[in-house]
Structures are given as structure tokens and as C-alpha cells.
Amino acid sequence: MAGCSCSGRYHRRSRLSGAVPARTLRVWLRGWLTDMGAQIRSLDSFIRRLQAEGAETPFTWLIGAGMSVTAGIPLARGVSERIVMFEYLLSVAGKRPWRTETTSPITYRADLLDFLDWYEEENGSERFSLLAAEAAEWLGATEPFLGVKPDEPKCYQLLFQHLLQDSTIHHKFLSALVRRARGVNLAHLGLAGILRDYPEWGHTVFTTNFDDLLLKSLLTINHTARVFGDMQSEDRPSLRPSYPQVVHLHGRHTGYRLLNSREQVALVDPGLQEGFKRHIADSHLVVLGYSGWDDLVMTTLAEWPSRQTLIRGNVFWIPFRSEATILPEVRQFLDQCPPGRVSIVTDESRNLDADQFVLRLSDALSRDSGGFARYRSSIIQHAQEQHRFVLGQLKLHVGYHPSEALILASRALDALAGGDEACARGRLDAALAIARESDCPIEIVARVKLLVGKFFMHLREYEAANQAFRESESAWAGTPATAPDREQARAQAVKHLAECLFLSGELEEAEIAAKRAISRCRYKVHGSEEVTAYANKLLGDILLRRGNALGARGPLRQARNYFEGSEDEYGLAITCRSFAEAAFRLGDFEVAAVELKQSAALWRQLGSTVGMSGVLLLSSQFAHAINENGWAARLLEMRAGLHVSPSAEVDGAQCIGDV
């Protein structure tokens, strides 16, 4: 150990008598190795160091394929496996297992998307495994892939150089894979939040990925970014930008410049390289999900061992899942970097992926303001704001606004009342189609369902009507509690449900529903008292039908009091009729006669033949019950005369008074 360059404390410790404890030896050895190469640092240690040092030295970010894998975009090895399988099946085996018919000519463009769907569905099946083994055997016997492992970056590059030689095809292949992403993943969302809220920690991200998940994440939380690398340009990423910057070193899937083959990747764009150098000369470099290619990044970093000022701070290398996944040549390079300047960040308790790393980092940086949770909620908040804005604009274009469903449903009822059931059903179906759209406001859905219930109740299709009224109530329950007419509208839906149950003979359930409707109107808002009155009238009718005339008088009296005060002649007319029936069943014939006479007078005033007909029928039943058969016959004659004589209403009202 005489030639060792260790610090003096280690030499003094080594001169102590006796055996050195194993733990002390490990600490000593770790310290010595740290001076010689890359240091293994735990995620917790990394977070503590950042919190202690603050943002004096910002970050420059370098992200690779490991950043996007949890979004559903495969790593280079996964891309390679798909290319090999696609090329083998089409070009060698002449098979298309994703098609039921094989008579059409084989074409890359026509078969690519179907192949990718089939690959995801069949991957792992016995048939797929056999085909994959055949494809791997074919590749291993093909020049120039002899001795090349599928998980090597070299394999990926050779595939694009020798198999997918047509730039249009390989562009379409990669773009199809990117578009299959399930959405922005946690790593991109968290990083977008850090870029937006903490630019002092770093504002520029260099990436070898073709996807635009970081830009999508920034837009999702209502921010934006400048994007570089789509095409050759004189623009360079700024050292002091106003917005986050995303620099695509290998191109972007929507652009015209994608670097895949070994020759393409090895080409160095002087402008982008200069921009990369300028940024790392003023910051730490955080490498996340990048495996290390023979590209601009590694070409630039290769200068560091001999030029220590290349990077102002340190390099924090976060490998994909664990230290073991670092390629041997990359690990050798990291160990040759300036002593004490490289940390390989891992998590001993679990495999550390990009999601977990960014979650922990965003929580540490924004602990006092809600941590990562606020970025999660930003997705919904921004989407809702955008949706409200779009709906607001559509109010000027009625035919495109979801409220068109209400117009169609109302017109369906009008057509039904006019006797055109076919037209009515067509309009109702169109209204329901709009209401079923996932973005249709819940208030519109609730109102449409109420009209649907009325539609089917008019047709006496009570089962369908019941379901519609229940769905209306359920939809109203899902509206914001602050909606001013929420409880009244729910009560209205339940009142109609009670009415429908009453008409279909389900009296017990009808009584429960009517009482629920009344309780829903406990909030005194405009219109709630009217709903309560009609629900009370309905409850009285239900109790009468169930033989509880005494119990019916209470809700009927409450309904009558409201209708008298509000001058609602229709409501008062139907309530007087029901009140008369309750009085008659209780033997109070004088009250029954007065109520019937008032009901008849109101119907005459309203000009309603149907209403008068109902009163005459009930009056004849009462007359017959008290053995006034002559009067009963006369009343029935009056009722029959309503269909031919307009004066019958007046005569009928007088006849009821005489009884």
C-alpha cells in the first residue's frame, strides 16, 4: 500500500494494532475507491445532498429510453425484437399471422400497424415464442449480426442500417411505436413540474428519445417549452431561457431527422454539441435512463477525463433499474472520470426506475407546496378548464353543443303529442346518442333522462320510464353540490318516478319515492315549493289507492294550501278532486260535494274537457254509493255529452252542485 494515494487518516488507521473490523474496512475501501472512480450513492443520500447544497449549481438533464418505458414505449432491445420479427415474417418466412386472409400482396406500410397490434396481443403465447425463436436463429446466422447480442446498442443500429434501410419505413415504424404510448408517465409529468416551478434547479433537457412525452407533460400542466433538434437549424438552446428547453439529439418522431444507424448516430451536429457543452459547463449533469451510445453525448463526455472544466459540477448517473444494467464500456468510462465527480445513484430497497427517481426528487423539491400530488391534480384541472372553454365557445354554435340533446328530446315529446311516434323515437335516439358522449355535461344528461322518462310514460312503457327517471336522479347526484337547482331537480326526477310507479301499480315503492321527493325539497330554492306541492298531491293519491284516506288528507291539505296561495288553478283543480275522494271515503259528504263543485268550476275556467270528465265520473260514483242512482245516471250522461256539447261543462258543474 506504500504507493497508494489515500489520505493520511487511512494510513493512521492502518497502523492500529489488531485486526481491522470488517465494517471499518468496507468504509475505508469505499472511500479509497471513491477517489479512484464512480461512487455508488443511495437515492436518499442524493436527496440529502441536494437539500443541503441548494440550487447553487443547477442541473442539466440528459434522458434516454429508460425514461419512457413505463409509458409503453419499448427500450432499444424491444424495438430490435419487433424489427427482427417483422422482417423475418415478411421477408423470409412469408407469413402474416396477423391476417386471416393472405391473398393480398405483402407491403411494409399496409402490414406494419396490423403487425404491431398482433405483436402486443400475442407476445408470450406459445405460438409467438416459436416464431420469436425462429427469427432469432435467422438473425444470428445473418451477416453482419454474427456474435452481436440483441440487447447491445450495436444490434439496434445495425438493424436500421441493414434491414429497415428505407428511411420512410423506419420513420413510420418508430412513429407507430411512439404513438402507442399509453400517455404521459410519472417520470415525464414530475420532470415537467420541476422545469415549470423550479427553473433554478435546471431548465434544459437533452434527450436521445424520439417521443414528445416531455412536451406533452408540460402542455398537460398548462406550460410549454422550446423544442430543438427537429431539423437542421441555426437556433441553439439558451443558457438563460424564459421557458424550459427540450433538445432532441437524435431527432423527433414527428420531424424529418431521425438518427438510428451507427453512421447516423456517430454524426455530430456541431451546433447541438456546442449547446450541450455550454450547458454542462455551467451545471451538474443528471443522466436518467440513458445507456450510453457512440453518439454526440459520449463523444463529448469522453473529453472530461482530460479536461475537467468540461462540467462545472458533478455527474449523477441513474441507471435503468440497477447498477448491473450499466454497459461495461460505460462503467469503465465513468471510473476514468475525474475523481469524486461521478455518482451512480441507486436504491438498495428496490429497482430504481425513472418514475421512482423523479417522484422522490419532485417531492423533495416541492414538499412545502404539496409535492408531486399537485402535478397529478394539474392534469384534471387544466383539462377541465380547457373543456369548459370549448363548451363555452360552442354555445354560439348550438347544433354542436351538447345542449342539442335537450332540444331533440323536447322535440321528440312534441312529435309524440302530435301522433308521429316514428319521428319522435328518431329524435329521442339522437338525443340519447349525444347524452352518451363521455364529455356531455352531467346536468344535460340528467335533464335528457328526465325527458326520456316522460316520453316512455306517455307511451305507458313504465319499465323504461322508471329506468330513465332513476338514471336522471343518479345523474343529478353526480353534479356539484353547489349547483343551485340540484336538489330541486333530483326531487323532480324522484317525483316523476313515484308517479310512474303509481301508474304501474307499484304502490309501496311509489309511496317511498314520493316521500323521498318531498324530503329532497328541504332546501328552499326557487321552484322547490311547487315540486313539494305536486309531490304531496301524488302522495295523497297513493295513500288513497292504498286505502288510507285519513293519511291522505295531510299531504293533500298541504298541496291545496300551496296551490291556493300561488294561484295555480290546475294544481288546485286536481287536488280538490282528490280531497273530495278522501272526504267521501271518510263519510264527510258535505266537504266532498264542496270540493267536487270547486274542482268542476276550475276545470270549466281552464276549459279542460278531460278534467271535467274526471270530476263527473267521480261524482257519479259518489251518487251511486249513496243510492242516488238517478243523479248518478244523469252525471254519466253529462260526462258522455262532453264529447258533443261544449255547454255540457256548465251543466255538469251545476249538476254536481245540485247533488
Side-chain angles (χ1 to χ4, degrees), residues 160 164 166-174 258 260 264:
F160 280 95
L164 291 186
D166 186 328
S167 60
T168 304
I169 295 298
H170 83 235
H171 187 288
K172 186 171 183 178
F173 198 105
L174 291 172
L258 294 181
N260 288 292
Q264 290 171 336

Side-chain angles (χ1 to χ4, degrees), residues 197-344:
D197 297 336
Y198 304 99
E200 68 273 16
W201 282 98
H203 42 61
T204 302
V205 179
F206 291 86
T207 176
T208 57
N209 296 340
F210 302 126
D211 63 68
D212 45 14
L213 294 180
L214 184 54
L215 177 60
K216 284 184 177 179
S217 298
L218 285 161
L219 294 173
T220 295
I221 60 172
N222 200 21
H223 205 53
T224 188
R226 295 189 66 196
V227 179
F228 300 85
D230 265 0
M231 58 186 68
Q232 295 289 345
S233 171
E234 296 299 320
D235 268 354
R236 298 291 176 260
S238 170
L239 290 176
R240 301 290 182 267
S242 301
Y243 291 95
Q245 302 177 122
V246 183
V247 185
H248 289 268
L249 298 173
H250 293 178
R252 187 160 159 245
H253 79 102
T254 56
Y256 301 102
R257 175 179 169 273
L258 294 181
L259 306 183
N260 288 292
S261 69
R262 188 168 187 176
E263 287 75 10
Q264 290 171 336
V265 171
L267 292 174
V268 174
D269 182 324
L272 292 182
Q273 184 178 43
E274 181 59 29
F276 183 58
K277 284 183 176 181
R278 290 174 63 211
H279 278 78
I280 61 177
D282 193 43
S283 67
H284 293 301
L285 177 63
V286 178
V287 182
L288 183 57
Y290 171 72
S291 59
W293 293 53
D294 294 331
D295 61 356
L296 180 153
V297 173
M298 295 307 294
T299 300
T300 303
L301 294 181
E303 302 176 20
W304 196 27
S306 59
R307 187 160 71 89
Q308 297 194 15
T309 57
L310 181 73
I311 301 176
R312 170 185 165 186
N314 299 322
V315 171
F316 299 99
W317 195 285
I318 298 90
F320 180 66
R321 300 196 184 281
S322 71
E323 179 190 359
T325 62
I326 300 176
L327 296 173
E329 58 269 29
V330 174
R331 181 55 193 264
Q332 182 180 1
F333 160 75
L334 294 176
D335 286 336
Q336 292 172 352
C337 290
R341 302 279 299 280
V342 177
S343 294
I344 297 174

Side-chain angles (χ1 to χ4, degrees), residues 260-483:
N260 288 292
S261 69
R262 188 168 187 176
E263 287 75 10
Q264 290 171 336
V265 171
L267 292 174
V268 174
D269 182 324
L272 292 182
Q273 184 178 43
E274 181 59 29
F276 183 58
K277 284 183 176 181
R278 290 174 63 211
H279 278 78
I280 61 177
D282 193 43
S283 67
H284 293 301
L285 177 63
V286 178
V287 182
L288 183 57
Y290 171 72
S291 59
W293 293 53
D294 294 331
D295 61 356
L296 180 153
V297 173
M298 295 307 294
T299 300
T300 303
L301 294 181
E303 302 176 20
W304 196 27
S306 59
R307 187 160 71 89
Q308 297 194 15
T309 57
L310 181 73
I311 301 176
R312 170 185 165 186
N314 299 322
V315 171
F316 299 99
W317 195 285
I318 298 90
F320 180 66
R321 300 196 184 281
S322 71
E323 179 190 359
T325 62
I326 300 176
L327 296 173
E329 58 269 29
V330 174
R331 181 55 193 264
Q332 182 180 1
F333 160 75
L334 294 176
D335 286 336
Q336 292 172 352
C337 290
R341 302 279 299 280
V342 177
S343 294
I344 297 174
V345 181
T346 63
D347 189 344
E348 296 178 357
S349 64
R350 57 178 294 171
N351 288 331
L352 182 63
D353 61 12
D355 288 344
Q356 178 67 12
F357 175 81
V358 176
L359 282 172
R360 289 287 304 278
L361 181 60
S362 61
D363 259 358
L365 296 181
S366 57
R367 186 178 302 278
D368 296 336
S369 54
F372 178 82
R374 63 179 176 150
Y375 304 136
R376 183 188 68 212
S377 60
S378 287
I379 298 175
I380 299 175
Q381 180 182 350
H382 181 51
Q384 289 174 336
E385 289 172 355
Q386 286 295 301
H387 190 255
R388 283 194 294 269
F389 179 62
V390 170
L391 289 181
Q393 295 176 78
L394 287 176
K395 287 181 180 178
L396 301 175
H397 308 275
V398 180
Y400 296 89
H401 193 276
S403 59
E404 178 73 4
L406 286 172
I407 298 173
L408 288 167
S410 297
R411 288 177 178 172
L413 285 172
D414 292 342
L416 191 63
D420 192 344
E421 184 177 336
C423 175
R425 287 188 180 274
R427 290 174 177 175
L428 193 72
D429 289 342
L432 286 171
I434 296 174
R436 280 193 289 267
E437 292 291 337
S438 59
D439 73 328
C440 187
I442 193 68
E443 296 92 339
I444 291 178
V445 174
R447 295 185 191 281
V448 168
K449 291 293 184 179
L450 185 68
L451 295 175
V452 171
K454 290 181 178 180
F455 182 94
F456 286 118
M457 192 162 70
H458 184 88
L459 292 173
R460 299 184 181 180
E461 296 180 17
Y462 296 125
E463 187 175 346
N466 285 343
Q467 181 179 345
F469 289 135
R470 292 182 195 278
E471 289 174 352
S472 178
E473 183 199 5
S474 177
W476 277 116
T479 59
T482 54

Side-chain angles (χ1 to χ4, degrees), residues 27-151:
V27 172
W28 174 28
L29 186 59
R30 180 181 290 271
W32 180 71
L33 290 174
T34 297
D35 292 339
M36 298 298 293
Q39 176 186 5
I40 305 300
R41 183 184 294 276
S42 71
L43 179 58
D44 289 336
S45 171
F46 171 77
I47 296 294
R48 286 195 300 270
R49 176 172 177 173
L50 294 184
Q51 291 171 330
E53 293 181 358
E56 181 179 347
T57 303
F59 293 156
T60 290
W61 294 84
L62 171 64
I63 62 175
M67 186 79 172
S68 303
V69 68
T70 57
I73 300 176
L75 298 172
R77 177 173 182 171
V79 176
S80 298
E81 290 171 347
R82 286 164 174 79
I83 294 173
V84 171
M85 179 75 87
F86 186 57
E87 285 286 336
Y88 170 73
L89 290 175
L90 282 189
S91 303
V92 180
K95 299 176 180 178
R96 288 186 290 178
W98 52 87
R99 291 207 174 196
T100 54
E101 55 84 21
T102 58
T103 56
S104 58
I106 294 175
T107 59
Y108 277 95
R109 295 190 181 189
D111 285 285
L112 175 58
L113 298 180
D114 290 338
F115 161 76
L116 291 174
D117 289 336
W118 169 83
Y119 189 98
E120 299 300 329
E121 294 169 3
E122 292 295 321
N123 195 350
S125 69
E126 183 178 354
R127 179 192 185 194
F128 181 92
S129 300
L130 291 173
L131 290 172
E134 291 176 15
E137 184 179 354
W138 162 74
L139 184 72
T142 304
E143 290 283 356
F145 297 96
L146 298 175
V148 178
K149 296 180 180 178
D151 57 350

Side-chain angles (χ1 to χ4, degrees), residues 518 532-533 536 553-563 579:
I518 294 167
T532 303
N536 271 315
R553 295 186 71 169
L556 289 173
R557 185 176 290 110
Q558 292 184 48
R560 177 176 181 150
N561 291 340
Y562 170 79
F563 292 134
F579 208 98

Side-chain angles (χ1 to χ4, degrees), residues 632-653:
R634 179 72 191 279
L635 288 165
L636 288 176
E637 288 176 8
M638 292 288 185
R639 181 171 181 265
L642 289 177
H643 299 290
V644 293
S645 173
S647 63
E649 291 184 24
V650 179
D651 295 339

